[in-house]
């Protein structure tokens, strides 16, 4: 099948799936009855009773934000403890030792912030307990945190005046029980059928044909892989992630995982439209994200199948799996960087520079091309606020979105959130490109080395978690710096966005007239894309020129790095 | 008082001087973007001087960049000074009317021996007497007397107006002149707080507070400036990693061209010019917030009389009584009205001439005119041997001593039902017929309301007429809704209902009983002729006392917001071209391949840098006229406006700098500057 036809089918299935899921999710977050209620309802209520949660109490933005921070801090402490102490804890058949402090710090933050940047190799440095009780738990709850915040922000933008942002504990619980868990079961079963292992037994020791001893790692992989994709986590069970034949054995498993990566982020667009009671609003955001996704995908595909002029090869297969080829590797690369997932089925380091550029831009603009579960939507709403404010004045009224005025307070908060991407990526990257302790991590010379730094920092701040390869992330400098930047990229956006939502929720909703700035339709979609391009991407144009663009243009002249 | 919008040359030299005066750090501090530009310009100047002193190569280029960065700052200052200058000229002419005079201060209303005090010593609550020829010292309320007052100094309207105690025409404004009779006034304004003082402060921009949208925009621009600071500061280490040493002057140039200097430089000029437009329309805003709110208005409450209809009813048709031929009626009505100077009388004469052209030419009636009197409620003329009278139906019936015939009575009822007023015409004891007087809708009103509807603004007609009449007029004028037999309470209720539905309401009023509604409305325009209470409750005051002005105020508010948005969009879109000019210039030596980014084909790295900086400065001065005049605004739906402005200022902002920078580069290269 031709790649582009495959892409088209993929997009069609994805859109339909997201659309269908959005209906369910809207009901779930409104605490309405769903087909799953008989199964999970008693469980949910039992959990609330046990934890002393009053799920029907709507929180203001401060209470909601505080709940998010407290919950994630607790998660961080617990995960850090498990990682440090795993050597002494049970379920460790391969006798893996406790993690060093800086690596544990980095890994814990990474999984709590839904980044899943892995400075460590899962099968070699994590016990089964750490994988299951540590990482897999965070795979669920960090995703659920993002979804809860996404829903809270949507409520602020669309809800009744003074209704609050909802209850974090309830939103989080419902995200896990009604969305993540059932979808994970389905995906895990499909993957297991395709050959992904799901076992608690230790590694297999085998003797190869040449007579050498080989240790073949395995474990409870299928369950973790399902949630790693669905929750835009991306942290692999195995170090080489989805390129590993046990993680991603077949073309079908590859397609299912690609769909899983984008499914919930796509659904969030439509949830937004449904909750706004104006589905066009959801379609507009979906269209803007979709257009950017398709553009990025086509560029990567063109770059990878077009071949490397310097090497005179037809298709760039370096660092790719034969069973996927350039087409499916390109699709995965576009999906995983667009959706803040970060799992990889090929080495992005070996992609053409132009493809690397697209991947980096996907992350640098703040993971808003579908983005992380929940996070992609509230990230895009940040751009919406800016776009509406910039262009809204041009219709001769105080800018308003969904009937709520965008005023000084919202603009201040939006700029605050917006600053975190350039601050984290540019300042972090610049220091990393200067300090010798940081430079030690860079493998390649010239522009490609700069790309490695940029990719790592974009991935961390964007909470993506994918790695370019060739970048030594396990040094104390990088684990610490990247760990802190993951925190910045997560909470320096969550808190201001919740504050914006809280501020908008308190405003009177203006009536819609023909004098109202239209926030649906092709014109607004174009405006939104241009805002992302000019405010988001152009900020990084100078440094991208020195990295991937310099490399690509040099390559065209026959020079490689 | 009105000043032509084309400023005289003196204004430009004054603005130029002021542009340099505004280089004072404290003056620059108010504008983050321009302050940062000035700091960068200062830094670059120091570098240029150092290079010059040590004779470093390339000092000429650095000096040129420094020069143009300063020019950029000066142009921004110039724009603001020019906007302020236009206001200052007007303020000066206003100040001239604020001359110090001696006034007669009364101890009590009937004080026979007034004390002579200087007008500047007057306090609120004191009583003064003014006589024909006196300047009214400050804002006051008439508590006794009737007089005509020349308000041309404030309103530009030369015909004197009547001011009298009680009622809705009891307020006088400082700076106006009493031309007949005398008045006893109660001062309502403290020294320095009068209307004239407020107006002077407003046009000078001295009291100008930033409006809410302007504050938000300033925050956005400051944030963007901070982001570009990160971009430029971190570029040095990234470039060093890549083996490129970027001169500081290059980074400075990149920084200034990327930050939104265009809108940053023009922002306050746009605001001042917007207020100036309002002042030129003879409307005083008590706050900038009100002007912006006017742009947001969803519902306009308009008084019927004066806004939608002419204040007077006009003759529409003649209906002869049984047995009377129409020409006889028309001729009689014409004769009876020839000496009637009221608009109604004139309209009867006009209609008669239209129907019988032969009547043209004769202007004065033969015979003895009978003026309207409150007792008879009739007017007409006594000709030799016959008496012609016209008047209200019951008055004429009493005059002739009998009722109209049944067919005519039916006609009279029909006229009343349709919202008109019937008059009867009689000769001696015979009723000749009826005249249909009608409220006449002002020409163009219907189209105006259609425009407003396209903009998403609902119009509501307020009238004291009965619902039947109101409905007829509302339908004819094309308003969206009407409020008949309106009382102040009903207006207040209506406004509250609209606001509860999320709509912003604007209204105008003059009477004291309008005050609660004016205060409740988001935009309240009081007539200058109105009571002090109404003027206090409103946030805008119309000096011309023209209720139609409300629509103009809305337009001015919208134009102000549009100008700001358009120039912001333009400014930010400009960055794309600047990246493509400067980045290849910086990097092409180390990475020759990056020459492909030089899409404009600029001659050399030096010329590219200089051209971008020059463009950045020149675009400010090029856009000053637009900032002062305001972006052209045609009433249409938000979607149409967005499409239009986004394609002009968004797309234009992307394309124009590519052309401009290329042209400047060619000039710079030809002149051998780089």
């Amino acid at each position: 099948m031709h790649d582009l036809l495959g892409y088209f089918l993929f997009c069609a299935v994805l859109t339909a799936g997201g659309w269908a899921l959005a209906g369910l999710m809207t009901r779930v977050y409104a605490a309405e009855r769903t087909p799953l209620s008989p199964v999970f309802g008693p469980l949910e209520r039992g959990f609330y009773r046990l934890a002393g949660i009053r799920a029907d109490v709507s929180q203001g933005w401060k209470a909601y934000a505080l709940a998010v921070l407290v919950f994630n801090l607790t998660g961080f402490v617990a995960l850090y403890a498990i990682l440090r102490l795993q050597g002494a804890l049970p379920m460790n058949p391969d006798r893996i030792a406790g993690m060093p402090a800086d690596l544990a710090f980095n890994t814990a933050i990474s999984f709590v912030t839904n980044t899943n940047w892995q400075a460590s190799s899962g099968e070699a440095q994590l016990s089964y307990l750490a994988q299951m009780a540590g990482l897999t738990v965070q795979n669920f709850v960090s995703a659920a945190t993002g979804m809860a915040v996404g829903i809270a922000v949507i409520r602020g933008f669309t809800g009744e005046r003074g209704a609050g942002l909802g209850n974090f504990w309830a939103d989080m619980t419902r995200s896990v029980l009604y969305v993540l868990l059932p979808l994970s079961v389905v995906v895990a079963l499909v993957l297991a059928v395709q050959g992904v292992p799901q076992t608690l037994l230790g590694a297999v020791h085998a003797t190869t044909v040449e007579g050498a001893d080989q240790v073949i790692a395995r474990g409870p992989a299928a369950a973790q892989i399902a949630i790693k994709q669905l929750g835009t986590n991306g942290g692999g069970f195995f170090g080489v992630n989805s390129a590993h034949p046990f993680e991603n054995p077949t073309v079908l498993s590859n397609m299912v995982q690609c769909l899983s990566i984008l499914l919930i982020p796509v659904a969030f667009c439509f949830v937004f439209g449904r909750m706004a009671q104006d589905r066009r609003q959801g379609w507009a955001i979906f269209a803007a994200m979709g257009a950017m996704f398709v553009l990025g995908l086509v560029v990567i595909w063109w770059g990878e199948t077009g071949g490397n002029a310097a090497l005179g090869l037809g298709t760039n297969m370096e660092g790719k799996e034969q069973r996927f080829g350039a087409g499916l590797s390109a699709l995965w690369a576009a999906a995983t960087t667009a959706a803040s997932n970060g799992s990889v089925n090929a080495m992005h380091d070996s992609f053409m520079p132009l493809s690397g550029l697209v991947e980096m831009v996907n992350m640098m603009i703040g993971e808003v091309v579908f983005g992380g579960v929940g996070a992609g939507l509230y990230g895009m709403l940040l751009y919406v606020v800016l776009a509406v404010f910039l262009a809204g004045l041009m219709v001769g009224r105080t800018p308003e979105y969904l009937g709520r005025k965008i005023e000084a307070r919202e603009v201040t908060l939006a700029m605050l959130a917006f600053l975190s991407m350039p601050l984290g990526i540019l300042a972090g990257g610049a220091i990393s490109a200067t300090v010798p302790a940081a430079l030690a991590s860079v493998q390649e010379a010239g522009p490609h080395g700069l790309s490695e730094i940029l990719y790592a920092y974009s991935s961390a701040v964007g909470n993506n978690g994918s790695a370019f390869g060739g970048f030594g992330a396990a040094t104390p400098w990088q684990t610490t710096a990247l760990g802190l930047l993951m925190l910045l990229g997560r909470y320096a956006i969550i808190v201001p966005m919740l504050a914006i939502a809280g501020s908008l929720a308190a405003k009177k909703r203006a009536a819609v007239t023909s004098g109202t700035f239209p926030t649906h339709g092709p014109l607004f979609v174009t405006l939104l894309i241009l805002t992302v391009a000019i405010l988001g991407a152009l900020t990084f144009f100078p440094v991208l020129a020195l990295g991937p663009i310099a490399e690509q243009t040099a390559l065209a002249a026959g020079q490689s790095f | 008082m009105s000043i032509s919008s084309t400023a005289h040359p003196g204004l430009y030299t004054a603005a130029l001087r002021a542009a340099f005066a505004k280089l004072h750090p404290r003056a620059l501090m108010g504008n983050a973007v321009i302050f940062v530009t000035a700091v960068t310009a200062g830094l670059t100047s120091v570098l240029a001087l150092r290079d010059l002193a040590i004779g470093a190569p390339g000092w000429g280029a650095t000096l040129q960049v420094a020069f143009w960065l300063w020019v950029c700052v000066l142009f921004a200052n110039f724009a603001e000074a020019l906007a302020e200058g236009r206001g200052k000229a007007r303020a000066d002419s206003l100040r001239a009317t604020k001359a110090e005079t001696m006034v007669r201060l009364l101890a009590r209303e009937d004080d026979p021996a007034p004390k002579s005090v200087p007008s500047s010593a007057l306090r609120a609550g004191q009583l003064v007497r003014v006589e024909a020829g006196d300047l009214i010292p400050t804002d006051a309320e008439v508590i006794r007397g009737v007089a005509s007052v020349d308000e041309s100094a404030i309103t530009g309207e030369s015909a004197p107006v009547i001011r009298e105690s009680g009622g809705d025409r009891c307020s006088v404004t400082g700076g106006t002149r009493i031309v007949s009779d005398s008045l006893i006034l109660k001062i309502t304004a403290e020294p320095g707080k009068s209307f004239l003082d407020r107006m002077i402060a407003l046009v000078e921009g001295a009291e100008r507070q930033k409006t809410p949208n302007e504050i938000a925009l300033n925050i956005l621009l400051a944030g963007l400036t901070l982001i570009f600071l990160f971009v430029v500061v971190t570029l040095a280490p990234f470039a060093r990693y890549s083996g490129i040493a970027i001169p500081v002057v290059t980074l400075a140039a990149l920084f200034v061209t990327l930050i939104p200097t265009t809108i940053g430089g023009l922002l306050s000029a746009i605001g001042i010019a917007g207020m100036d437009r309002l002042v030129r329309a003879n409307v005083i805003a008590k706050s900038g917030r009100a002007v912006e709110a006017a742009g947001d208005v969803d519902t306009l409450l308009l008084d019927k009389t004066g806004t939608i209809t002419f204040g007077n009813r006009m003759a529409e048709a003649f209906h002869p009584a049984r047995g009377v031929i129409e020409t006889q009626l028309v001729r009689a009505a014409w004769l009876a009205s020839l000496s009637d100077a009221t608009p109604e009388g004139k309209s009867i004469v006009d209609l008669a001439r239209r129907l019988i052209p032969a009547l043209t030419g004769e202007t004065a009636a033969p015979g003895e005119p009978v003026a309207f009197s409150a007792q008879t409620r009739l007017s007409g003329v006594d000709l030799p041997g016959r008496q012609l009278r016209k008047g209200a139906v019951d008055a004429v019936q009493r005059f002739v001593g009998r009722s109209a015939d049944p067919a005519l009575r039916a006609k009279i009822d029909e006229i009343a039902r349709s919202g008109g007023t019937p008059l009867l015409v009689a000769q001696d004891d015979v009723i000749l017929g009826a005249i249909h007087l009608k409220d006449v809708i002002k020409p163009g009103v219907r189209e105006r309301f259609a425009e407003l509807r396209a903009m998403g603004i609902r119009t509501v007609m307020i009238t004291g007429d009965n619902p039947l009449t109101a409905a007829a007029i509302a339908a004819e004028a094309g308003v969206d809704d009407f409020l008949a037999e309106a009382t102040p309470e009903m207006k207040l209720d209506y406004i509250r209902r609209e606001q509860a539905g999320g709509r912003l309401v604007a209204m105008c009023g003059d009477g004291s009983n309008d005050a609660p509604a004016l205060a409740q409305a988001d935009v309240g325009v009081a007539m200058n002729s109105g009571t002090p209470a109404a003027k206090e409750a409103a946030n805008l005051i119309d000096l011309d006392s023209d209720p139609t002005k409300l629509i103009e105020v809305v337009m001015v508010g919208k134009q102000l917001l549009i100008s700001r948005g358009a120039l912001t969009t333009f400014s930010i879109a400009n960055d794309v071209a600047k990246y493509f000019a400067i980045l290849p210039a910086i990097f092409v030596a180390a990475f020759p391949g990056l020459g492909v980014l030089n899409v404009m084909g600029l001659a050399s790295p030096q010329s590219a840098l200089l051209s971008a900086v020059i463009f950045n400065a020149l675009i400010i001065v090029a856009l000053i006229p637009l900032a002062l005049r305001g972006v052209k605004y045609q009433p249409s739906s938000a979607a149409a406006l967005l499409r239009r402005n986004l394609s002009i200022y968004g797309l234009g902002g992307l394309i124009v700098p590519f052309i401009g920078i290329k042209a400047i580069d060619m000039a710079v290269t030809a002149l051998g500057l780089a």
Side-chain angles (χ1 to χ4, degrees), chain A residues 343-434:
Chain A
S343 62
V344 289
N345 74 347
M347 295 306 284
H348 289 184
D349 193 30
S350 304
F351 274 37
M352 299 302 286
L354 200 61
S355 310
L357 174 80
V358 172
E359 295 164 14
M360 277 185 246
V361 169
N362 271 341
M363 297 186 281
M364 284 168 165
I365 54 179
E367 292 293 357
V368 294
V369 181
F370 296 117
V373 285
L377 186 81
Y378 65 69
M380 191 50 132
L381 286 178
L382 173 61
Y383 280 104
V384 167
V385 167
L386 293 174
V388 164
F389 183 76
L390 280 175
L393 286 170
M394 281 198 292
V395 304
R397 282 164 70 107
T398 298
E400 55 195 26
Y401 185 55
L402 303 181
R404 262 129 185 181
K405 289 198 184 333
I406 308 289
E407 290 169 299
R409 183 174 158 78
E410 289 73 40
V411 172
T412 310
L413 290 164
M415 283 320 282
L416 212 61
F418 190 61
L419 275 173
S420 65
M421 290 309 289
L423 178 68
I425 297 172
L426 292 175
I431 294 170
S432 203
T434 311

Side-chain angles (χ1 to χ4, degrees), chain A residues 508-513, chain B residues 298-299 494-505:
Chain A
K508 196 155 75 171
R509 187 124 46 123
V512 174
T513 68
Chain B
D298 300 292
T299 305
Y494 195 93
I495 294 173
R496 291 214 172 110
R497 264 206 313 281
E498 287 288 300
Q499 288 173 334
R503 281 178 284 273
L504 259 65
V505 183

Side-chain angles (χ1 to χ4, degrees), chain B residues 224-246:
Chain B
L224 288 177
T225 306
L226 195 59
I227 288 174
F228 288 121
L229 189 66
F230 288 150
V231 171
V232 172
V233 168
T234 58
L235 188 56
F238 282 127
R240 204 175 316 116
Y241 174 91
S242 310
I244 305 169
I246 308 179

Side-chain angles (χ1 to χ4, degrees), chain B residues 254 256-262 571 573-584 600 612 615-616 619 657-658 661:
Chain B
L254 179 63
V256 171
T257 49
L258 289 183
I259 62 176
T261 46
T262 313
S571 186
N574 271 349
D575 276 0
V576 178
K578 291 168 183 171
Y579 276 120
F580 279 96
I582 296 183
L583 290 187
M600 287 172 267
F615 175 83
N616 197 54
I619 194 71
F658 278 102
I661 292 174

Side-chain angles (χ1 to χ4, degrees), chain A residues 300-368:
Chain A
I300 296 179
W301 170 80
W302 179 77
E304 296 313 302
T305 55
N308 188 331
L311 300 176
L313 296 174
T315 298
N316 177 27
M317 280 302 292
E318 184 192 314
K320 292 189 179 63
E321 295 291 305
Q322 280 299 334
R323 65 186 182 281
F324 304 136
L328 292 183
S329 300
L331 175 62
W332 189 292
T336 192
T337 52
S340 159
N341 180 280
S343 62
V344 289
N345 74 347
M347 295 306 284
H348 289 184
D349 193 30
S350 304
F351 274 37
M352 299 302 286
L354 200 61
S355 310
L357 174 80
V358 172
E359 295 164 14
M360 277 185 246
V361 169
N362 271 341
M363 297 186 281
M364 284 168 165
I365 54 179
E367 292 293 357
V368 294

Side-chain angles (χ1 to χ4, degrees), chain A residues 148-210:
Chain A
V149 172
I151 288 297
V153 169
I154 296 176
R155 286 198 191 106
F157 275 71
T158 64
E160 289 298 310
R161 186 182 186 191
L165 298 187
N167 187 298
F168 170 69
W169 307 107
D171 290 338
M172 218 263 311
T173 310
R174 289 180 187 138
S175 301
V176 173
L177 283 183
Y178 294 101
V179 185
L180 293 173
L181 212 52
L183 282 173
S184 293
V185 170
V186 174
V187 172
L189 284 175
V190 173
L191 292 180
V193 166
Q194 290 295 306
V196 177
Q198 174 72 20
T199 171
L200 287 179
L201 299 175
V204 174
H205 293 262
T207 309
T208 63
V209 188
E210 293 99 38

